[in-house]
Amino acid sequence: MSAVKMDGKALSAKVRGGILAETEELKKRGVTPGLAVIIVGNDPASEIYVRNKEKACAECGFYSEKYALPAETTQEELLGLIAELNQSPQVNGILCQMPVPKHIDEQAVIDAIAPEKDVDAFHPVNVGKIMVGNFDFVPCTPAGVMELLAEYGIDPKGKECVVVGRSNIVGKPMAMLLLHKHGTVTVCHSRTEDLAGVCRRADILVAAVGKAAFVTPDMVKDGATVIDVGMNRNAEGKVCGDVDPAVMDKAAYMTPVPGGVGPMTITMLMKNTLKAAKVQHGL
Ligand code: GUN
C-alpha cells in the first residue's frame, strides 16, 4: 500500500483563495495588507523563497515591498531599514529572509522587528506567546503542517508525535503546536540515542533535519503519518526532502517534496500578514 499524498499545493490554493476574498473585503474598508521582505546577499535558495513570497502577495491581493540588499550591508544599515519599516503605515508585516551574512547578528535582526509586525513569529515576545498558547502569529512552517494535518483529518490528540530537528524556526515551535493539540510530543536531534527506535514509536513523524533521505523505512511505523519539512538538493541538483521516498510504502499519509509543506509555509505567511493588518487596524 502506498501512502496518501498530502497535497500542500491544492490546500494552499484553497487557503489563498480565502485570503484573497477577505483581502477584497478589507480593501473596501480602506485597508490593504502590506508585507515588506528583506533579503541580504544572494543565496540562490533564499532568492527563490523571496520570489515565491512576492508572488504569493500578488495572488492574495496584498501590497508588497522588496528590499534586496548587497551582501556587504552593515548590521547598522539593516537595523536602520527595519526601524523605518516598523514606522511605515503601509507595511503590516516585515520579514528578513534567513540566513543573513555572517557579519550580521541574526538575533539582533529578529529583536529589531516590532513584535506586531513580526509575521515570521521569531521575535522573543511572539515565541513566548506561542509557548503560553496565546498568539496572533503562528510560525509559518509548523502552522502549515498543522493545517495539512487538519485537512486530512489527522488529530494529534493523544498520539505519539515525534519531531526530528530542534531549530527555532521549525522543530521547537512544531513541538509546541502539537502539544497545544494534545499530542504526546518527543523532540529528537543529532545527539538522540536510538533515533530510529524513537521515530518508530511515532503516529505522526515530522522530519525537519535538512539532510536528504535521512528518514528511512526502518524508522517508520506501519500506517504512520510522515511530514517532510526538508528542502534539500540531491547529487543531481533535484529538490528532495528529508524522507526517503521508499517510506511511501510504509506510511498511511505522507507529504511530497516539492508540493507538500513548502507551499503551505508561504500561505501561512500570507495568513499572518492578513492578521497583522487586521490587528493594526483594530478589525
Ligand atoms: N529561512 C528559512 N525559512 C525561513 C522562514 O520561515 N522565514 C525567514 N525569514 N527566513 C527563513
Side-chain angles (χ1 to χ4, degrees):
M1 263 285 284
S2 190
V4 172
K5 266 194 194 174
M6 302 171 82
D7 189 345
K9 218 171 145 188
L11 180 56
S12 255
K14 187 164 99 178
V15 177
R16 285 184 200 183
I19 294 173
L20 174 63
E22 212 178 317
T23 301
E24 279 165 355
E25 287 307 308
L26 280 182
K27 282 181 175 171
K28 287 183 198 155
R29 303 168 74 172
V31 174
T32 301
L35 177 68
V37 178
I38 307 169
I39 176 168
V40 188
N42 36 28
D43 175 63
S46 292
E47 282 176 345
I48 295 170
Y49 291 141
V50 166
R51 209 172 316 132
N52 287 338
K53 285 167 187 175
E54 281 183 283
K55 264 200 254 171
C57 281
E59 239 180 85
C60 294
F62 292 0
Y63 165 73
S64 71
E65 294 179 0
K66 178 185 167 186
Y67 297 87
L69 307 180
E72 314 76 68
T73 303
T74 65
Q75 180 165 318
E76 199 184 354
E77 285 165 337
L78 178 56
L79 296 188
L81 170 62
I82 291 171
E84 277 173 37
L85 295 172
N86 280 341
Q87 298 300 322
S88 166
Q90 291 103 308
V91 171
N92 305 112
I94 303 169
L95 175 146
C96 179
Q97 187 65 32
M98 303 297 175
V100 285
K102 281 191 205 45
H103 65 276
I104 297 175
D105 174 5
E106 187 173 292
Q107 193 60 47
V109 174
I110 290 170
D111 291 350
I113 296 174
E116 65 275 16
K117 293 193 177 185
D118 168 40
V119 283
D120 265 323
F122 290 169
H123 190 284
V125 165
N126 291 320
V127 174
K129 287 184 168 190
I130 291 153
M131 184 117 194
V132 172
N134 162 32
F135 44 85
D136 287 327
F137 302 135
V138 200
C140 302
T141 302
V145 173
M146 297 310 286
E147 293 242 352
L148 273 166
L149 292 175
E151 176 72 8
Y152 284 84
I154 300 156
D155 184 357
K157 186 174 173 181
K159 296 286 192 306
E160 288 275 0
C161 304
V162 175
V163 179
V164 191
R166 53 173 158 177
S167 69
N168 289 335
I169 296 184
V170 184
K172 287 184 209 169
M174 185 76 252
M176 292 315 304
L177 297 190
L178 288 165
L179 190 56
H180 291 321
K181 290 288 178 193
H182 316 292
T184 300
V185 183
T186 305
V187 182
C188 299
H189 46 80
S190 53
R191 317 279 170 92
T192 300
E193 289 180 12
D194 190 20
L195 182 74
V198 178
C199 289
R200 266 195 303 274
R201 295 207 305 254
D203 301 305
I204 298 172
L205 179 62
V206 181
V209 196
K211 285 189 187 141
F214 182 85
V215 174
T216 45
D218 60 297
M219 297 164 76
V220 176
K221 178 159 91 177
D222 266 326
T225 296
V226 180
I227 305 288
D228 190 347
V229 178
M231 262 288 214
N232 313 295
R233 282 189 192 273
N234 66 11
E236 295 92 58
K238 194 170 157 259
V239 172
C240 58
D242 289 349
V243 179
D244 181 341
V247 169
M248 279 296 289
D249 295 330
K250 254 189 140 183
Y253 292 89
M254 185 162 149
T255 60
V257 176
V261 176
M264 287 306 293
T265 297
I266 297 184
T267 300
M268 295 301 103
L269 174 70
M270 300 298 114
K271 218 171 160 178
N272 282 344
T273 304
L274 178 68
K275 177 91 188 189
K278 282 165 53 179
V279 170
Q280 284 160 39
H281 286 90
L283 297 171

Short mmCIF file of all heavy atoms in Angstrom, two decimals, residues 76-111:
data_model
loop_
_atom_site.label_atom_id
_atom_site.label_comp_id
_atom_site.label_asym_id
_atom_site.label_seq_id
_atom_site.Cartn_x
_atom_site.Cartn_y
_atom_site.Cartn_z
N GLU A 76 24.13 47.84 11.04
CA GLU A 76 23.53 49.14 11.35
C GLU A 76 22.56 49.57 10.23
O GLU A 76 21.44 50.03 10.50
CB GLU A 76 24.65 50.16 11.50
CG GLU A 76 24.27 51.40 12.23
CD GLU A 76 25.42 52.40 12.27
OE1 GLU A 76 26.55 52.06 11.81
OE2 GLU A 76 25.18 53.52 12.74
N GLU A 77 23.00 49.37 8.97
CA GLU A 77 22.14 49.74 7.84
C GLU A 77 20.86 48.89 7.84
O GLU A 77 19.76 49.40 7.63
CB GLU A 77 22.89 49.53 6.51
CG GLU A 77 23.93 50.59 6.24
CD GLU A 77 24.92 50.22 5.13
OE1 GLU A 77 25.12 49.01 4.84
OE2 GLU A 77 25.51 51.14 4.57
N LEU A 78 21.03 47.60 8.08
CA LEU A 78 19.87 46.71 8.07
C LEU A 78 18.90 47.08 9.20
O LEU A 78 17.68 47.18 8.99
CB LEU A 78 20.33 45.25 8.21
CG LEU A 78 19.24 44.19 8.26
CD1 LEU A 78 18.31 44.25 7.06
CD2 LEU A 78 19.86 42.79 8.36
N LEU A 79 19.44 47.32 10.39
CA LEU A 79 18.57 47.68 11.52
C LEU A 79 17.91 49.04 11.26
O LEU A 79 16.76 49.26 11.67
CB LEU A 79 19.36 47.71 12.83
CG LEU A 79 19.96 46.37 13.29
CD1 LEU A 79 20.54 46.49 14.70
CD2 LEU A 79 18.96 45.23 13.24
N GLY A 80 18.61 49.93 10.54
CA GLY A 80 18.03 51.23 10.17
C GLY A 80 16.82 51.05 9.27
O GLY A 80 15.77 51.68 9.48
N LEU A 81 16.94 50.15 8.28
CA LEU A 81 15.82 49.88 7.38
C LEU A 81 14.64 49.30 8.17
O LEU A 81 13.48 49.72 7.99
CB LEU A 81 16.25 48.90 6.27
CG LEU A 81 15.13 48.34 5.40
CD1 LEU A 81 14.40 49.46 4.63
CD2 LEU A 81 15.67 47.30 4.41
N ILE A 82 14.94 48.37 9.06
CA ILE A 82 13.85 47.74 9.86
C ILE A 82 13.15 48.81 10.71
O ILE A 82 11.91 48.82 10.81
CB ILE A 82 14.40 46.57 10.70
CG1 ILE A 82 14.81 45.42 9.77
CG2 ILE A 82 13.38 46.10 11.73
CD1 ILE A 82 15.57 44.29 10.45
N ALA A 83 13.93 49.72 11.28
CA ALA A 83 13.34 50.78 12.10
C ALA A 83 12.37 51.63 11.27
O ALA A 83 11.29 52.01 11.74
CB ALA A 83 14.44 51.66 12.72
N GLU A 84 12.75 51.90 10.01
CA GLU A 84 11.85 52.67 9.12
C GLU A 84 10.57 51.89 8.83
O GLU A 84 9.47 52.43 8.86
CB GLU A 84 12.53 52.95 7.78
CG GLU A 84 13.45 54.16 7.78
CD GLU A 84 14.21 54.26 6.45
OE1 GLU A 84 13.63 53.94 5.39
OE2 GLU A 84 15.40 54.62 6.50
N LEU A 85 10.75 50.60 8.52
CA LEU A 85 9.58 49.76 8.18
C LEU A 85 8.66 49.58 9.39
O LEU A 85 7.44 49.49 9.23
CB LEU A 85 10.04 48.40 7.64
CG LEU A 85 10.81 48.45 6.32
CD1 LEU A 85 11.38 47.07 5.97
CD2 LEU A 85 9.91 48.95 5.18
N ASN A 86 9.25 49.56 10.58
CA ASN A 86 8.43 49.47 11.80
C ASN A 86 7.45 50.64 11.87
O ASN A 86 6.36 50.52 12.43
CB ASN A 86 9.32 49.49 13.05
CG ASN A 86 9.95 48.14 13.34
OD1 ASN A 86 9.49 47.11 12.86
ND2 ASN A 86 11.01 48.15 14.14
N GLN A 87 7.87 51.81 11.29
CA GLN A 87 7.05 53.03 11.35
C GLN A 87 6.14 53.18 10.13
O GLN A 87 5.26 54.05 10.13
CB GLN A 87 7.97 54.28 11.41
CG GLN A 87 8.87 54.36 12.63
CD GLN A 87 8.09 54.39 13.93
OE1 GLN A 87 7.02 55.01 14.01
NE2 GLN A 87 8.57 53.68 14.94
N SER A 88 6.34 52.37 9.09
CA SER A 88 5.62 52.59 7.84
C SER A 88 4.17 52.10 7.94
O SER A 88 3.92 50.93 8.19
CB SER A 88 6.32 51.85 6.70
OG SER A 88 5.46 51.78 5.58
N PRO A 89 3.19 52.99 7.70
CA PRO A 89 1.79 52.57 7.82
C PRO A 89 1.34 51.58 6.74
O PRO A 89 0.41 50.82 6.96
CB PRO A 89 1.00 53.87 7.74
CG PRO A 89 1.93 54.89 7.19
CD PRO A 89 3.33 54.43 7.41
N GLN A 90 2.01 51.58 5.59
CA GLN A 90 1.60 50.62 4.52
C GLN A 90 2.08 49.21 4.81
O GLN A 90 1.63 48.26 4.20
CB GLN A 90 2.18 50.99 3.14
CG GLN A 90 1.63 52.23 2.52
CD GLN A 90 2.64 53.36 2.67
OE1 GLN A 90 3.11 53.63 3.78
NE2 GLN A 90 2.97 54.00 1.57
N VAL A 91 3.07 49.11 5.70
CA VAL A 91 3.70 47.81 5.95
C VAL A 91 3.14 47.22 7.25
O VAL A 91 3.36 47.76 8.32
CB VAL A 91 5.24 47.97 6.03
CG1 VAL A 91 5.89 46.68 6.52
CG2 VAL A 91 5.80 48.38 4.67
N ASN A 92 2.42 46.13 7.13
CA ASN A 92 1.87 45.46 8.32
C ASN A 92 2.76 44.32 8.79
O ASN A 92 2.75 43.96 9.96
CB ASN A 92 0.48 44.90 8.02
CG ASN A 92 -0.46 45.95 7.49
OD1 ASN A 92 -0.86 45.93 6.33
ND2 ASN A 92 -0.79 46.91 8.33
N GLY A 93 3.51 43.75 7.84
CA GLY A 93 4.39 42.63 8.19
C GLY A 93 5.79 42.85 7.64
O GLY A 93 5.94 43.41 6.55
N ILE A 94 6.79 42.45 8.42
CA ILE A 94 8.19 42.57 7.99
C ILE A 94 8.85 41.21 8.11
O ILE A 94 8.72 40.55 9.15
CB ILE A 94 8.97 43.57 8.88
CG1 ILE A 94 8.28 44.94 8.89
CG2 ILE A 94 10.43 43.69 8.42
CD1 ILE A 94 8.84 45.89 9.96
N LEU A 95 9.56 40.83 7.06
CA LEU A 95 10.27 39.54 7.09
C LEU A 95 11.67 39.75 6.55
O LEU A 95 11.83 40.32 5.48
CB LEU A 95 9.50 38.55 6.22
CG LEU A 95 10.11 37.18 6.01
CD1 LEU A 95 9.01 36.16 5.89
CD2 LEU A 95 10.99 37.12 4.78
N CYS A 96 12.65 39.35 7.31
CA CYS A 96 14.02 39.35 6.80
C CYS A 96 14.41 37.90 6.54
O CYS A 96 14.42 37.08 7.47
CB CYS A 96 14.97 40.01 7.81
SG CYS A 96 16.67 40.00 7.21
N GLN A 97 14.67 37.58 5.28
CA GLN A 97 14.97 36.19 4.92
C GLN A 97 16.25 35.73 5.61
O GLN A 97 17.27 36.41 5.57
CB GLN A 97 15.10 36.08 3.39
CG GLN A 97 15.24 34.68 2.87
CD GLN A 97 14.01 33.82 3.10
OE1 GLN A 97 12.88 34.29 3.11
NE2 GLN A 97 14.22 32.53 3.30
N MET A 98 16.19 34.58 6.25
CA MET A 98 17.35 33.99 6.91
C MET A 98 17.94 32.89 6.01
O MET A 98 17.17 32.26 5.29
CB MET A 98 16.97 33.40 8.26
CG MET A 98 16.33 34.38 9.21
SD MET A 98 17.49 35.69 9.63
CE MET A 98 16.42 36.77 10.61
N PRO A 99 19.19 32.61 6.03
CA PRO A 99 20.20 33.24 6.89
C PRO A 99 20.67 34.60 6.34
O PRO A 99 20.59 34.84 5.14
CB PRO A 99 21.35 32.22 6.84
CG PRO A 99 21.20 31.54 5.51
CD PRO A 99 19.74 31.52 5.20
N VAL A 100 21.16 35.45 7.26
CA VAL A 100 21.79 36.71 6.86
C VAL A 100 23.32 36.47 6.84
O VAL A 100 23.79 35.51 7.45
CB VAL A 100 21.42 37.85 7.84
CG1 VAL A 100 20.01 38.33 7.61
CG2 VAL A 100 21.63 37.46 9.29
N PRO A 101 24.08 37.31 6.13
CA PRO A 101 25.53 37.09 6.11
C PRO A 101 26.12 37.06 7.52
O PRO A 101 25.57 37.66 8.45
CB PRO A 101 26.05 38.30 5.32
CG PRO A 101 24.89 38.74 4.49
CD PRO A 101 23.66 38.45 5.29
N LYS A 102 27.24 36.36 7.65
CA LYS A 102 27.82 36.06 8.98
C LYS A 102 28.16 37.28 9.83
O LYS A 102 28.15 37.20 11.06
CB LYS A 102 29.09 35.21 8.80
CG LYS A 102 28.79 33.75 8.53
CD LYS A 102 30.08 32.93 8.65
CE LYS A 102 30.07 31.65 7.88
NZ LYS A 102 29.58 31.68 6.50
N HIS A 103 28.48 38.41 9.17
CA HIS A 103 28.85 39.58 9.97
C HIS A 103 27.64 40.26 10.62
O HIS A 103 27.79 41.22 11.36
CB HIS A 103 29.64 40.59 9.10
CG HIS A 103 28.82 41.19 7.99
ND1 HIS A 103 28.65 40.57 6.78
CD2 HIS A 103 28.11 42.33 7.93
CE1 HIS A 103 27.87 41.32 6.01
NE2 HIS A 103 27.52 42.39 6.69
N ILE A 104 26.44 39.76 10.32
CA ILE A 104 25.23 40.33 10.92
C ILE A 104 24.69 39.35 11.96
O ILE A 104 24.61 38.14 11.71
CB ILE A 104 24.15 40.62 9.85
CG1 ILE A 104 24.68 41.67 8.86
CG2 ILE A 104 22.84 41.07 10.47
CD1 ILE A 104 23.76 41.96 7.69
N ASP A 105 24.34 39.88 13.12
CA ASP A 105 23.82 39.05 14.22
C ASP A 105 22.31 38.80 13.98
O ASP A 105 21.51 39.72 14.07
CB ASP A 105 24.07 39.80 15.54
CG ASP A 105 23.44 39.11 16.74
OD1 ASP A 105 22.88 38.00 16.59
OD2 ASP A 105 23.50 39.70 17.84
N GLU A 106 22.01 37.54 13.68
CA GLU A 106 20.63 37.16 13.32
C GLU A 106 19.65 37.56 14.43
O GLU A 106 18.56 38.08 14.16
CB GLU A 106 20.61 35.65 13.09
CG GLU A 106 19.33 35.12 12.55
CD GLU A 106 19.45 33.65 12.19
OE1 GLU A 106 20.19 33.33 11.22
OE2 GLU A 106 18.83 32.82 12.87
N GLN A 107 20.03 37.30 15.68
CA GLN A 107 19.10 37.59 16.78
C GLN A 107 18.84 39.09 16.90
O GLN A 107 17.72 39.51 17.21
CB GLN A 107 19.64 37.03 18.10
CG GLN A 107 18.60 37.01 19.23
CD GLN A 107 17.36 36.15 18.89
OE1 GLN A 107 17.48 35.03 18.42
NE2 GLN A 107 16.16 36.70 19.10
N ALA A 108 19.87 39.92 16.61
CA ALA A 108 19.69 41.38 16.67
C ALA A 108 18.66 41.81 15.63
O ALA A 108 17.85 42.72 15.87
CB ALA A 108 21.02 42.09 16.43
N VAL A 109 18.67 41.15 14.47
CA VAL A 109 17.71 41.46 13.40
C VAL A 109 16.30 41.08 13.85
O VAL A 109 15.35 41.86 13.73
CB VAL A 109 18.10 40.71 12.09
CG1 VAL A 109 17.04 40.90 11.02
CG2 VAL A 109 19.47 41.15 11.61
N ILE A 110 16.18 39.89 14.41
CA ILE A 110 14.87 39.41 14.88
C ILE A 110 14.33 40.34 15.97
O ILE A 110 13.16 40.73 15.95
CB ILE A 110 15.01 37.95 15.40
CG1 ILE A 110 15.27 37.00 14.22
CG2 ILE A 110 13.79 37.52 16.21
CD1 ILE A 110 15.67 35.59 14.62
N ASP A 111 15.20 40.73 16.89
CA ASP A 111 14.79 41.57 18.01
C ASP A 111 14.36 42.97 17.55
O ASP A 111 13.59 43.64 18.25
CB ASP A 111 15.94 41.73 19.03
CG ASP A 111 16.24 40.43 19.77
OD1 ASP A 111 15.45 39.47 19.64
OD2 ASP A 111 17.28 40.37 20.46
#
